[in-house]
């Protein structure tokens, strides 16, 4: 069984130090597209937490007990994409039935979780670093929490920016990209934690 101390270090490292969006630059499409309002960003973050955590568990089990046993590890990427697509369909159906407002607010970005490279990146990272199933789940959860923290912070900043007098050339996406860059620099400060 994994050491609790190592799992806690992995939790901090994956969520803050190696933030999937701000240091690995994975998942930028929903990060930039859904971060206009805090509520929508939090909803997307919750969906990503669910999908990445569950995908880490399912892909870990499939990799360890099916792909490695049959010596067909070369199928990892294809199998992982199929698993992620199925999980996103489940989340989409769930949100459509239980939270139609959030479902409409997320719009096209919800199905884009399927192609969110952060989800696939976590599954492949778990395999490449030879994490066990529990460690992979912790890594997936922490990575998704890091994504959620980053997208909610950016959404909060974007809401505040709407009330500021920004020079015309910087309005819209330029100021958002500048803000994301400054956030990435700020998150580099967490590297001293480990």
């Amino acid at each position: 069984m994994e050491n609790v101390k190592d799992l806690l270090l992995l939790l901090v490292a994956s969520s803050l130090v190696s933030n999937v969006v701000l240091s690995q630059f994975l998942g930028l499409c929903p990060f930039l597209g859904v971060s206009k309002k805090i509520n929508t960003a939090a909803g997307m973050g919750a969906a990503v937490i669910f999908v990445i955590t569950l995908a880490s568990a399912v892909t870990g089990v499939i990799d360890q007990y099916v792909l490695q046993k049959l010596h067909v590890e070369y199928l990892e990427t294809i199998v992982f994409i199929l698993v992620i697509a199925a999980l996103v369909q489940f989340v989409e159906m769930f949100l459509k039935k239980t939270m139609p407002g959030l479902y409409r607010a997320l719009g096209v970005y919800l199905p884009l979780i399927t192609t969110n490279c952060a989800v696939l990146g976590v599954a492949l990272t778990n395999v490449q670093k030879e994490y066990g199933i529990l460690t992979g789940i912790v890594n997936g959860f922490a990575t998704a929490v890091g994504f959620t923290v980053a997208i909610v912070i950016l959404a909060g900043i974007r809401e505040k920016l709407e009330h500021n007098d920004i020079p015309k050339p910087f309005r819209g996406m330029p100021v958002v990209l500048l803000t994301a860059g400054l956030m990435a620099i700020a998150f580099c400060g967490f590297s001293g934690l480990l």
Side-chain angles (χ1 to χ4, degrees):
M1 184 166 168
E2 287 82 1
N3 186 350
V4 174
K5 178 184 169 190
D6 293 337
L7 292 177
L8 289 173
L9 283 174
L10 180 64
L11 194 69
V12 171
S14 294
S15 60
L16 297 176
V17 177
S18 298
N19 187 285
V20 70
V21 178
L22 299 173
S23 69
Q24 297 176 23
F25 306 111
L26 297 174
L28 287 176
C29 181
F31 176 69
L32 296 173
V34 184
S35 61
K36 293 178 183 169
K37 300 288 178 199
I38 291 177
N39 292 338
T40 309
M44 174 59 92
V48 168
I49 287 173
F50 179 77
V51 170
I52 289 182
T53 305
L54 197 56
S56 296
V58 173
T59 56
V61 169
I62 289 173
D63 183 62
Q64 187 172 350
Y65 294 110
V66 177
L67 300 177
Q68 288 183 14
K69 297 286 185 200
L70 297 174
H71 303 290
V72 290
E73 292 91 353
Y74 57 89
L75 294 174
E76 286 169 347
T77 304
I78 294 169
V79 171
F80 291 176
I81 289 171
L82 292 173
V83 167
I84 292 165
L87 290 173
V88 170
Q89 287 301 313
F90 172 72
V91 169
E92 190 172 3
M93 290 186 304
F94 176 78
L95 287 179
K96 190 174 187 179
K97 292 283 185 194
T98 60
M99 298 179 226
L102 179 60
Y103 175 78
R104 284 189 300 279
L106 292 175
V108 71
Y109 294 101
L110 185 59
L112 282 178
I113 294 176
T114 304
T115 58
N116 185 343
C117 51
V119 182
L120 181 60
V122 170
L124 293 174
T125 298
N126 290 342
V127 171
Q128 289 170 350
K129 292 190 176 183
E130 298 178 356
Y131 288 154
I133 295 171
L134 177 61
T135 307
I137 292 170
V138 170
N139 182 49
F141 176 76
T143 300
V145 167
F147 175 86
T148 303
V149 166
I151 196 171
V152 168
I153 290 173
L154 182 63
I157 293 171
R158 285 180 78 172
E159 282 186 2
K160 296 291 184 187
L161 286 174
E162 288 179 9
H163 306 293
N164 290 317
D165 186 26
I166 298 171
K168 193 171 184 174
F170 287 103
R171 289 184 190 150
M173 196 50 67
V175 74
V176 173
L177 293 173
L178 183 62
T179 303
L182 292 172
M183 285 176 59
I185 292 170
F187 269 67
C188 284
F190 289 121
S191 62
L193 288 174
L194 301 178

